[in-house]
Amino acid sequence: MADTTVSPILQALTALYTGSNRQTKEQAGQFLEQFQKSQEAWTITHTILSSPSLPIESKLFAAQTLRSKVIYDLHQLPVDGQLQLRSSLITLLGNYAAGPKIVLTQICLALANLSIQLVQWKTALEDVIRACGNDAAAAPVVLEYLKVLPEEASDVKKIPLSEEELKERTRELLENNAMQVLNILIAYVSSANTPKSSHALIFECLNSWLREVPLETIVNSPLLNLVFQALSNDDLFDAATDCVCSMIRETRDLDDESEIISTLHSKVIELRPRIAESKDDPDAFRNYTQIFADAGEVWHMIIARQPRRFKSLVEAIAECAAYDEDLEVIQFTFYFWYLLKQMLVLDRYEDAKRELREVFLGLVDILVNHLHYPYEERNGDLFGNNKEQEEKFRAFRHEMGDVLKDCCAVVGASFALRKAYTKVNDCLQAQNLGENIPWQDIEAPIFSMRAMAREVDLDETHVLPDVMNLLIRLPDHKKIRFAVTLVLGRYTEWTAKHPEYLEAQLTYITNGFYVNDSEIASAAAQSMMHFCRDCGQHLVDYIGQLHDFYEKIAPQIHVDSLYDLTDGVAHLVAAQPLDKVYDSLKMFCAPIVARLYSRANSPADDAGYRKIANEVELLDTFARLVHPHIEPGNVDPCMQFWTEVWPLIDLLLDNHGQSTYVSERCCKFIRTLMYSYRTSFFTLLGPVAEKLVVCFDKLHYGCYLWASGIAVREYGNEYSDQNIQNAVWEFAFRQSISTFKYMSTVNIANIPDVVEDLFRLLSNLITSYPYRFIPSELCKPSVDAARAIFTTENKEPIFTAMDLLHDIFSYGFNTPPVSNIMFNDSGEQYYDANAVPPEIQGIVRQLVLAEGEILTRQVFSGLLYTFPRECVSDGTSVLLVLLKLAGLPNAVQWVSRTLSMLPAGAITQQEKDKYLSAVDVAIQTDDMNRLRRQTMDFIGWYTRRNVTPRSEVRRIGDARDMRFTFAS
């Protein structure tokens, strides 16, 4: 910045925080952002922080800027400048010792980050403490610095040091000073001169250093009692809670008989009376619950081994779980119950299961009580029309359902189920005596029955018969009917083994479709789906009646419920004898086909396209589920029917394929036909393949490439005869060429779905036809397309491009990645586990020599700058196979020239030489695993140092690398 005065900064801050003009505020924000990146910011921030008369907002901005510059821009200062910065920051600490605290914290963060990065500063802690003074009045400054130092050192993503440097720096700053820090904390907390306001900061500081100080030392020091005593002080409560929880977590790897665990366990159990005492103080109760829950989680294995000794802890956690004022607090205990259950179900802990059984039985009652909907309506709604609160409660119920399953595993499902049954039965008896029972008291235990369903044995006969007889005679309240309907759907496997209950349950469920309530209809559809799946053998002879019911109900219910109902009836069709499958399939699908023909020949809008897609989805459901086993040589009745339906799909794509809804749903249907009918689909493969090519050429939707890739994977293999394999190759070749032509006319960053689906198609091709693919016209454009997509930031296409390149380059070595598919002189395919033919290796190696340097640069560019972090591992694999193929000296030269294109100052010559040496040695010794580790370390180190939110360089190379061109 040319203007080095403070005035423009103050004006911009005023405009940003108090201005009303949006454009002015945006301009001010941009100005301040540019200022923060500038060299002058080092000086101007100090000027602002040294001016007593300036407002606190400007000082906070200056301190934040200084912190950011230390993290991201320290390279702007020479070594002597960094040393001057150290001195000035220490001076600023003294200036802001009395506050404001928010400014002091930012200065401490800046100094902490400088302490980490300034590796030659070996006495950082001693210097800071000495500069601030040893008296208790200096406590706020020293403690703030000590608190943030370990926190900043743990944030490895923003520290521009190599892994080795950071490890050594952490040892110097933290490990070597841990005991000194502990003694400082003890001195401060013991001194009457330490400001009371600093006591919470002492515990926060202790919490930051817990991983560095041996826990035994803390437990045997005065700090332990002081921390637990601080739980009685409102001002220190939160900080002390964090400390206690952290100490408990640090015992995770200690032996059962550890004196540390014994001491902490005793201290925690002494807190149990405070659970009841704090029930009127939600914040206090939350903290105590966190302490007990953390103790349970960390010590769950010890609890299982010593249940009597730790039973009081389990009971205390159950007491916390009974709290009904804040359901979020109860969730703190859920993971503990899961962990303890995982131990108690093991045979070796049978004694512990018996010891703790009553606690889990009591937990069942607690959880069922929490499942109740609110009793009072607000504004005509149980949740006061607060949809977020309602969804939160629903999600919480399902989490409690998981804990109920844990209880079932410990006490036995029949005992837990009996508790829920008793609660419902007691409500009914009270109602019969004239008592007004809220529906919530009945619905909650019914919901719990649904949650327990998967834990109940299919041969259970002690409780479930009573439950089933009870459920269908409950009061006809909508919430109760909804809950019962879903419960019946959860126990269909049991009902299949006890068919005497089937008729009454089906009657109850089908009646739910006639209740004017969409939720009940949805529940009925789900349950009917499960009944048809699990009880199909008992319903086979009723398919005619079910068809009449289906046709009557289908137009009346929501499409999602219709999908569930269709899933159910499709299972019933699949259960029919083989000679009846065709007629049954046609009976259900013919009306759908008729409706689609009507729509196919009529104009449609967006709503019409969605209706077409929904109808095709129903056909897809039947095709997915109805595929009986057919002996070789016999006609598949299902494919006989779907062959009759194909002209309809063809017509839909001709007339309405421009809709992505229609195209994608039809392609999904084609995929399902291929998966379900395999070789029986051969009769349709030709016309379907042709349609996929024509439609992509016309519409350029990725779904046609997706379906084409599936056709290659399913039929380009040894299970298809030679004519089919040849036809599939020709079809996929045409599809790929067509896609390359299209991609050369557009910006591929704007069509990520098309690119991703193309790469999947090409990967399937090289897997099925490697020795046709590599010499073909598809190989080089595939590499060019992958190279081009690397310049974008679209994660999924990048992933698939990496897979494709790895597949191609793997054929440059002697050993193929998969069993070789070979062709004889007649063009017939056969498998050979021998080496890749030299001519194929030669083609791949020539391709690497021609494209390798550019590709090396593109992959390195992505790894260092643009690839999503999830892609780094796969990208490194591509880079290594590329360098291995290139060999020496090419690999070292390519990497050297790539690293030379990095921004000035981003990497030293020594660092560059170190990595080049690693490449050289790895290729000479064929130790690519070691080079992988070294490359990943190099990437991590480089990005931490050079790739920050304010980095202006975002790639290696020029814009020409981004283009994809294809000449047929």
Side-chain angles (χ1 to χ4, degrees):
M1 291 176 60
D3 189 352
T4 58
T5 65
V6 173
S7 179
I9 308 301
L10 299 179
Q11 292 172 4
L13 286 170
T14 301
L16 184 66
Y17 293 124
T18 63
S20 58
N21 185 285
R22 180 178 177 181
Q23 184 178 359
T24 301
K25 293 177 70 137
E26 288 179 355
Q27 290 173 347
Q30 292 170 359
F31 171 81
L32 292 172
E33 185 177 342
Q34 289 301 117
F35 162 74
Q36 289 182 314
K37 298 177 183 180
S38 69
Q39 184 78 33
E40 292 81 0
W42 294 107
T43 304
I44 295 176
T45 51
H46 278 80
T47 301
I48 294 174
L49 288 168
S50 302
S51 302
S53 60
L54 292 179
I56 186 174
E57 292 82 6
S58 63
K59 294 180 178 180
L60 177 60
F61 171 76
Q64 289 172 331
T65 299
L66 204 50
R67 180 208 67 199
S68 297
K69 292 198 72 63
V70 171
I71 295 173
Y72 301 122
D73 298 334
L74 192 59
H75 62 273
Q76 291 179 346
L77 298 178
V79 174
D80 58 340
Q82 294 176 12
L83 296 177
Q84 291 175 13
L85 175 64
R86 177 184 65 182
S87 300
S88 65
L89 285 174
I90 291 176
T91 300
L92 287 172
L93 279 185
N95 295 345
Y96 285 88
K101 186 176 185 299
I102 54 174
V103 178
L104 175 64
T105 298
Q106 294 300 315
I107 296 172
C108 286
L109 287 168
L111 185 57
N113 278 281
L114 183 65
S115 302
I116 297 166
Q117 292 188 54
L118 205 60
V119 294
Q120 66 269 37
W121 189 13
K122 303 299 182 182
T123 56
L125 265 71
E126 293 90 333
D127 292 348
V128 172
I129 294 170
R130 189 185 308 110
C132 293
N134 293 319
D135 60 319
V141 181
V142 175
L143 289 171
E144 189 68 31
Y145 171 75
L146 291 177
K147 185 189 84 167
V148 301
L149 183 61
E151 296 169 356
E152 293 302 293
S154 66
D155 193 354
V156 297
K157 291 184 178 180
K158 67 181 183 183
I159 299 174
L161 298 177
S162 68
E163 187 174 342
E164 293 81 4
E165 289 173 330
L166 180 58
K167 185 176 180 180
E168 175 63 19
R169 195 61 181 146
T170 300
R171 186 186 64 79
E172 293 173 348
L173 287 175
L174 305 183
E175 294 178 26
N176 293 352
N177 291 298
M179 294 308 300
Q180 179 188 355
V181 170
L182 183 63
N183 291 330
I184 291 172
L185 297 181
I186 294 173
Y188 279 148
V189 80
S190 304
S191 172
N193 296 324
T194 302
K196 295 295 183 183
S197 58
S198 296
H199 281 199
L201 194 53
I202 293 172
F203 295 126
E204 291 172 7
C205 187
L206 174 62
N207 197 30
S208 290
W209 281 81
L210 265 172
R211 290 186 179 180
E212 313 304 330
V213 181
L215 187 58
E216 183 178 8
T217 304
I218 297 175
V219 170
N220 294 326
S221 76
L223 284 173
L224 179 67
N225 286 331
L226 291 170
V227 169
F228 276 89
Q229 290 168 11
L231 293 172
S232 302
N233 186 317
D234 290 344
D235 295 331
L236 307 179
F237 191 29
D238 288 339
T241 299
D242 290 339
C243 258
V244 170
C245 291
S246 295
M247 284 191 283
I248 290 170
R249 293 185 196 115
E250 287 299 307
T251 67
R252 193 179 302 274
D253 299 322
L254 296 182
D255 182 78
D256 292 11
E257 303 303 325
S258 165
E259 285 298 321
I260 296 175
I261 291 179
S262 180
T263 301
L264 288 176
H265 174 244
S266 298
K267 289 286 186 184
V268 169
I269 292 303
E270 289 174 7
L271 299 175
R272 186 175 176 184
R274 300 192 189 180
I275 298 174
E277 295 169 4
S278 64
K279 286 197 172 181
D280 294 330
D281 184 346
D283 292 334
F285 192 89
R286 171 183 290 263
N287 282 12
Y288 285 121
T289 301
Q290 187 71 68
I291 290 172
F292 282 102
D294 280 5
E297 287 180 23
V298 173
W299 298 334
H300 72 279
M301 295 179 71
I302 306 177
I303 294 171
R305 290 193 281 261
Q306 302 182 41
R308 291 186 181 179
R309 178 185 170 197
F310 284 85
K311 185 175 182 178
S312 58
L313 175 60
V314 180
E315 291 172 337
I317 297 172
E319 190 177 346
C320 292
Y323 184 66
D324 58 4
E325 293 300 320
D326 186 350
L327 297 183
E328 283 188 6
V329 174
I330 303 163
Q331 287 176 293
F332 294 170
T333 72
F334 287 177
Y335 189 51
F336 161 70
W337 299 116
Y338 166 76
L339 290 173
L340 185 57
K341 179 267 297 186
Q342 291 291 85
M343 301 298 294
L344 297 182
V345 295
L346 300 176
D347 291 342
R348 72 182 73 170
Y349 299 120
E350 190 64 35
D351 290 342
K353 184 195 291 188
R354 282 193 294 270
E355 182 72 30
L356 300 174
R357 185 174 185 276
E358 290 302 318
V359 181
F360 276 87
L361 276 172
L363 184 61
V364 173
D365 291 323
I366 290 170
L367 292 170
V368 172
N369 289 335
H370 288 323
L371 289 171
H372 284 73
Y373 273 97
Y375 285 103
E376 296 182 5
E377 291 189 356
R378 291 172 293 154
N379 300 323
D381 183 82
L382 292 173
F383 297 93
N385 296 310
N386 187 330
K387 293 301 180 184
E388 181 180 351
Q389 193 69 26
E390 183 176 0
E391 286 303 314
K392 192 175 179 181
F393 177 73
R394 289 177 186 269
F396 174 74
R397 290 183 111 203
H398 287 289
E399 289 186 50
M400 282 196 292
D402 291 336
V403 183
L404 278 169
K405 294 173 190 172
D406 296 334
C407 294
C408 288
V410 175
V411 305
S414 294
F415 291 97
L417 196 61
R418 173 64 69 182
K419 279 185 166 288
Y421 167 80
T422 301
K423 288 179 181 291
V424 178
N425 196 46
D426 288 349
C427 287
L428 285 185
Q429 291 181 4
Q431 263 189 346
N432 292 337
L433 294 175
E435 191 174 336
N436 182 24
I437 301 296
W439 63 265
Q440 290 91 336
D441 289 354
I442 300 175
E443 191 274 345
I446 294 174
F447 181 91
S448 74
M449 295 177 184
R450 174 181 160 201
M452 299 179 204
R454 296 301 177 217
E455 302 299 318
V456 180
D457 192 273
L458 298 183
D459 295 320
E460 208 285 332
T461 56
H462 299 292
V463 184
L464 271 180
D466 294 338
V467 169
M468 294 306 174
N469 289 325
L470 178 72
L471 290 179
I472 58 177
R473 57 186 180 86
L474 290 174
D476 195 19
H477 185 281
K478 286 185 177 182
K479 288 288 187 183
I480 295 175
R481 174 174 278 278
F482 175 77
V484 170
T485 301
L486 288 176
V487 168
L488 295 177
R490 286 291 179 92
Y491 286 90
T492 50
E493 291 181 80
W494 182 89
T495 303
K497 299 190 73 172
H498 303 81
E500 62 271 24
Y501 298 94
L502 179 59
E503 183 176 352
Q505 292 180 15
L506 279 177
T507 299
Y508 187 92
I509 289 171
T510 53
N511 287 341
F513 285 104
Y514 300 105
V515 177
N516 186 24
D517 187 282
S518 60
E519 283 193 338
I520 293 176
S522 174
Q526 288 183 43
S527 293
M528 184 63 77
M529 174 181 68
H530 291 297
F531 270 99
C532 292
R533 282 182 179 179
D534 299 327
C535 304
Q537 70 273 28
H538 303 299
L539 299 173
V540 168
D541 295 334
Y542 298 93
I543 193 166
Q545 295 95 310
L546 188 58
H547 170 259
D548 294 340
F549 169 77
Y550 179 79
E551 286 300 310
K552 183 177 181 180
I553 291 297
Q556 303 175 23
I557 58 178
H558 189 272
V559 65
D560 291 333
S561 299
L562 180 57
Y563 289 160
D564 287 337
L565 184 58
T566 302
D567 184 292
V569 299
H571 274 90
L572 199 55
V573 172
Q576 296 296 306
L578 187 59
D579 60 346
K580 294 183 179 180
V581 168
Y582 175 87
D583 291 336
S584 299
L585 183 62
K586 188 169 185 177
M587 177 172 63
F588 279 94
C589 292
I592 302 171
V593 171
R595 292 194 295 270
L596 280 171
Y597 264 118
S598 175
R599 293 186 182 279
N601 292 305
S602 304
D605 54 11
D606 187 74
Y609 292 141
R610 290 177 182 269
K611 289 179 179 178
I612 292 172
N614 292 340
E615 298 279 11
V616 174
E617 181 68 21
L618 299 181
L619 295 180
D620 181 83
T621 300
F622 283 103
R624 175 169 50 86
L625 297 174
V626 186
H627 45 85
H629 174 71
I630 306 297
E631 293 295 333
N634 293 339
V635 175
D636 188 327
C638 296
M639 271 311 302
Q640 182 183 351
F641 175 71
W642 297 123
T643 301
E644 297 169 9
V645 173
W646 172 249
L648 166 65
I649 303 300
D650 187 86
L651 183 63
L652 286 172
L653 291 174
D654 282 343
N655 293 350
H656 299 300
Q658 66 272 19
S659 164
T660 54
Y661 300 123
V662 175
S663 282
E664 289 177 359
R665 207 60 64 88
C666 286
C667 285
K668 182 187 175 189
F669 176 64
I670 291 169
R671 184 277 311 264
T672 300
L673 291 178
M674 289 189 281
Y675 279 168
S676 292
Y677 304 107
R678 308 290 178 175
T679 55
S680 297
F681 185 73
F682 283 164
T683 54
L684 273 183
L685 185 57
V688 167
E690 183 63 26
K691 196 68 183 177
L692 292 175
V693 172
V694 170
C695 285
F696 179 79
D697 201 42
K698 173 184 176 184
L699 300 167
H700 302 129
Y701 292 161
C703 58
Y704 295 106
L705 302 178
W706 172 72
S708 300
I710 292 167
V712 172
R713 187 169 68 240
E714 291 297 309
Y715 301 108
N717 53 50
E718 74 274 20
Y719 300 108
S720 304
D721 65 39
Q722 196 60 51
N723 290 332
I724 293 291
Q725 292 178 34
N726 291 338
V728 169
W729 165 261
E730 294 299 332
F731 136 72
F733 182 88
R734 288 174 56 203
Q735 191 75 293
S736 302
I737 292 295
S738 175
T739 310
F740 285 141
K741 290 179 179 178
Y742 168 63
M743 287 170 55
S744 67
T745 66
V746 297
N747 182 347
I748 61 173
N750 297 331
I751 53 168
D753 57 331
V754 173
V755 176
E756 178 186 349
D757 289 322
L758 171 67
F759 288 157
R760 294 193 189 281
L761 167 60
L762 295 171
S763 288
N764 289 336
L765 268 177
I766 196 170
T767 299
S768 298
Y769 305 92
Y771 301 142
R772 284 192 182 186
F773 181 92
I774 289 172
S776 75
E777 299 171 46
L778 301 180
C779 191
K780 185 179 182 302
S782 298
V783 175
D784 291 342
R787 183 169 61 79
I789 206 66
F790 285 161
T791 64
T792 72
E793 297 184 27
N794 296 310
K795 181 172 69 174
E796 292 306 323
I798 289 173
F799 264 129
T800 52
M802 290 172 178
D803 289 341
L804 175 63
L805 288 181
H806 201 277
D807 289 343
I808 293 173
F809 294 153
S810 294
Y811 283 92
F813 302 106
N814 286 330
T815 305
V818 295
S819 296
N820 280 327
I821 304 171
M822 305 291 289
F823 290 89
N824 59 24
D825 293 339
S826 302
E828 294 176 341
Q829 195 169 284
Y830 68 93
Y831 286 80
D832 182 9
N834 295 325
V836 176
E839 60 273 20
I840 297 298
Q841 293 185 50
I843 294 172
V844 174
R845 289 178 179 273
Q846 285 299 317
L847 181 60
V848 167
L849 290 176
E851 303 287 334
E853 183 167 0
I854 297 176
L855 192 53
T856 298
R857 185 166 72 243
Q858 290 292 7
V859 174
F860 245 116
S861 177
L863 291 171
L864 297 180
Y865 291 105
T866 59
F867 287 169
R869 290 302 92 190
E870 305 96 308
C871 298
V872 169
S873 179
D874 286 359
T876 302
S877 296
V878 172
L879 178 65
L880 296 187
V881 73
L882 183 66
L883 296 178
K884 186 176 179 180
L885 272 177
L888 297 174
N890 292 328
V892 173
Q893 291 173 353
W894 294 350
V895 173
S896 177
R897 286 195 282 264
T898 297
L899 297 182
S900 297
M901 299 175 71
L902 293 172
I907 180 173
T908 67
Q909 187 62 44
Q910 182 181 3
E911 291 158 344
K912 176 182 174 182
D913 291 342
K914 180 181 177 182
Y915 183 69
L916 291 176
S917 176
V919 174
D920 193 339
V921 171
I923 294 177
Q924 288 190 53
T925 60
D926 196 24
D927 189 357
M928 304 310 286
N929 286 332
R930 183 180 180 187
L931 183 59
R932 166 182 286 276
R933 293 191 299 272
Q934 292 168 320
T935 302
M936 297 285 281
D937 288 345
F938 178 84
I939 294 166
W941 161 80
Y942 183 90
T943 53
R944 286 196 301 272
R945 173 185 286 183
N946 299 291
V947 184
T948 68
R950 58 181 64 172
S951 298
E952 296 182 359
V953 176
R954 297 299 297 166
R955 88 168 38 88
I956 305 170
D958 54 38
R960 288 177 297 176
D961 291 335
M962 297 179 62
R963 297 177 55 197
F964 172 76
T965 58
F966 176 74
S968 56

